[in-house]
Amino acid sequence: MKIDLLAPASFDGGQPHDQFRWLREHAPVSWQDEPRGRGFWAVTRYDDVWTVDRDFQTYSSEPTIMIADPNSQQGTSFGPHKMMLMMDPPEHAGFRKLIRSEFTLPSARLRGERIAELARQIVDAVAARGECDFVADVAGEMPSFVIAELMGLPLQDGRELYKLTETIHTAPEALPPGAGGAAVARMFEYGMGVIAEKRARPADDLASKLLAAEVDGRRLEDMEFLLFFLLLVDAGGDTTRNLLAGGLLALMERPDQLAWLLADLDGRLNAAREELLRWTSPVVYMRRTARRDAELGGQAIGAGDKVVMYFGAANRDPARFDAPERLDLARDPEGHLAFGAGPHVCLGQHIARIEIDAMLREILTRLTDFELAAPTEWLPSNFISGPKAMPLRFRAV
């Protein structure tokens, strides 16, 4: 079995579950060479991923959660400033609490009616056409709109920012030289405009609240706000967009599962959504760096080693899930790691679930007879997994 967890080709068509399966069975914590880096440990079993994600005392999110180191050919450095994802407690907790109240389950539920309205509008826009690019026209619209409204931005701007996130997630070798850095620079340029607007005319939105907030008795510096802005726009779309596109594709390939769900959509949607999250696992990996020597899965981890958690592999571990290679919408929905675990568990998971439910209700009750109009094109990324383009034909009910 050839193992290459860095090449975008390994992720063409989805995650490399054949490679993950071999690693779980033969080398669950395995050393992987890195052409432009020192190499890393790939962690593929559920229990080991769970351990690493929760044990921040041993496995640090600094200096980065990406495999490539900062300042390397593929890495990104922001000087002395860090994105919240690349902090450890207690610093991480201090920044996380600045936005936590916007993402609690009660706060997310307060947005439920508006999210349902947006879902109707999104499906309204494509229903009569009978065809669309499902990713750009449907799956990508909802998270783009929701994060734009949270931040107090025009909805159309949310669409344009989403396009930048696609470039940011694409593997550098699949892009023209410098394209990823240019996309980050454009995101920051837009963010500087947000800073100027919200400082001049603050409103009841998350961007204004962040600019007025204090950490350790001081306001956020511009770069700290920009990193928050990048994180919210970037992470705000990944799970919803890729779950909807990859999930619908999985249902189209398994009409028995789709029929089971449609037989009692309201009663079965919760379990189905969680199983689709397990199945698609939109975030491929997160890296940690060992603070000290440790033992994991029978391997000696050295201080400073990169340790990379593969969530898609963990979510198909037969030691944790019965028949994990089978999509089973009736499965017990508890326990998957699509949102991670520990202090870095996805802050937006409650809003993501409400977005997913609203979109699936609209899509599955108003559209039928789905078929691909052309082959699905997958995002050439080893970090985020999901279709980039999914031309679809359907019939409005």
Side-chain angles (χ1 to χ4, degrees):
M1 169 63 67
K2 176 177 172 55
I3 304 295
D4 189 344
L5 300 179
L6 294 176
S10 292
F11 296 81
D12 186 13
Q15 299 193 41
H17 288 292
D18 54 343
Q19 297 185 42
F20 289 158
R21 188 182 310 112
W22 191 94
L23 288 170
R24 278 195 309 267
E25 293 174 1
H26 299 95
V29 179
S30 66
W31 184 257
Q32 304 292 314
D33 291 328
E34 187 183 1
R36 290 176 291 276
R38 59 176 292 179
F40 61 95
W41 294 101
V43 184
T44 52
R45 285 185 180 168
Y46 183 99
D47 286 348
D48 293 331
V49 170
W50 173 267
T51 295
V52 172
D53 213 9
R54 294 176 64 84
D55 184 4
F56 63 87
Q57 293 94 343
T58 303
Y59 302 102
S60 173
S61 296
E62 299 182 13
T64 180
I65 49 84
M66 306 299 292
I67 292 174
D69 285 317
N71 300 319
S72 73
Q73 184 172 343
Q74 299 181 43
T76 304
S77 176
F78 304 109
H81 302 293
K82 296 176 290 186
M83 191 177 286
M84 187 175 68
L85 279 179
M86 301 171 188
M87 300 175 183
D88 294 314
E91 182 185 25
H92 170 262
F95 277 79
R96 188 176 172 106
K97 74 178 182 181
L98 295 181
I99 58 174
R100 185 176 54 205
S101 64
E102 299 288 331
F103 295 96
T104 62
L105 182 55
S107 293
R109 284 175 173 162
L110 288 175
R111 298 184 180 276
E113 187 174 331
R114 174 57 176 159
I115 289 172
E117 179 185 343
L118 287 171
R120 287 190 292 273
Q121 293 176 12
I122 291 165
V123 175
D124 283 346
V126 301
R129 287 160 40 188
E131 62 181 9
C132 69
D133 177 350
F134 187 76
V135 178
D137 298 335
V138 179
E141 291 283 80
M142 172 62 80
S144 301
F145 289 168
V146 170
I147 198 63
E149 289 202 343
L150 269 170
M151 299 292 283
L153 311 175
L155 297 191
Q156 177 59 36
D157 289 8
R159 278 198 191 109
E160 297 305 312
L161 292 169
Y162 147 65
K163 294 175 184 176
L164 294 177
T165 68
E166 274 203 331
T167 301
I168 292 167
H169 286 317
T170 299
E173 53 267 41
L175 292 169
V184 172
R186 287 177 61 194
M187 187 83 75
F188 283 176
E189 181 181 5
Y190 183 93
M192 287 301 296
V194 174
I195 290 173
E197 169 66 22
K198 300 303 180 182
R199 281 183 176 154
R201 286 170 287 278
D204 185 22
D205 55 54
L206 186 52
S208 299
K209 291 174 184 176
L210 272 173
L211 289 168
E214 294 187 354
V215 177
D216 298 330
R218 62 173 182 82
R219 296 280 180 93
L220 294 181
E221 296 180 22
D222 286 358
M223 180 54 74
E224 290 174 316
F225 174 86
L226 292 174
L227 290 172
F228 251 124
F229 182 73
L230 174 61
L231 173 62
L232 289 165
V233 172
D234 201 9
D238 292 338
T239 299
T240 299
R241 178 174 65 248
N242 294 306
L243 180 284
L244 289 171
L248 181 60
L249 191 62
L251 293 175
M252 290 167 59
E253 294 168 348
R254 297 163 182 82
D256 61 318
Q257 290 291 295
L258 179 56
W260 179 87
L261 176 56
L262 290 174
D264 181 10
L265 185 59
D266 287 337
R268 295 173 174 176
L269 184 55
N270 180 66
R273 176 230 304 138
E274 296 305 310
E275 173 67 349
L276 289 171
L277 283 165
R278 181 192 74 85
W279 184 261
T280 58
S281 296
V283 177
V284 176
Y285 77 80
M286 286 283 172
R287 166 191 160 181
R288 300 292 184 257
T289 303
R291 294 176 182 269
R292 56 193 180 216
D293 292 349
E295 187 276 333
L296 183 70
Q299 296 289 348
I301 308 297
D305 283 358
K306 303 179 187 182
V307 181
V308 179
M309 304 171 287
Y310 282 94
F311 299 114
N315 280 335
R316 297 203 188 182
D317 186 346
R320 178 62 180 81
F321 302 100
D322 181 50
E325 301 288 348
R326 183 181 76 239
L327 181 69
D328 179 6
L329 300 185
R331 188 188 300 275
D332 179 348
E334 298 300 320
H336 68 75
L337 295 175
F339 290 117
H344 283 282
V345 67
C346 177
L347 191 60
Q349 62 177 303
H350 301 306
I351 285 183
R353 286 184 168 101
I354 291 171
E355 291 175 6
I356 291 163
D357 289 357
M359 288 303 304
L360 286 176
R361 281 196 182 94
E362 290 294 315
I363 294 161
L364 297 179
T365 58
R366 298 181 56 192
L367 308 176
T368 189
D369 298 339
F370 300 102
E371 62 175 6
L372 290 174
T376 300
E377 177 188 352
W378 287 75
L379 186 67
S381 171
N382 60 22
F383 180 60
I384 298 296
S385 178
K388 179 179 182 181
M390 188 172 152
L392 204 61
R393 284 190 291 263
F394 48 82
R395 182 173 58 85
V397 176

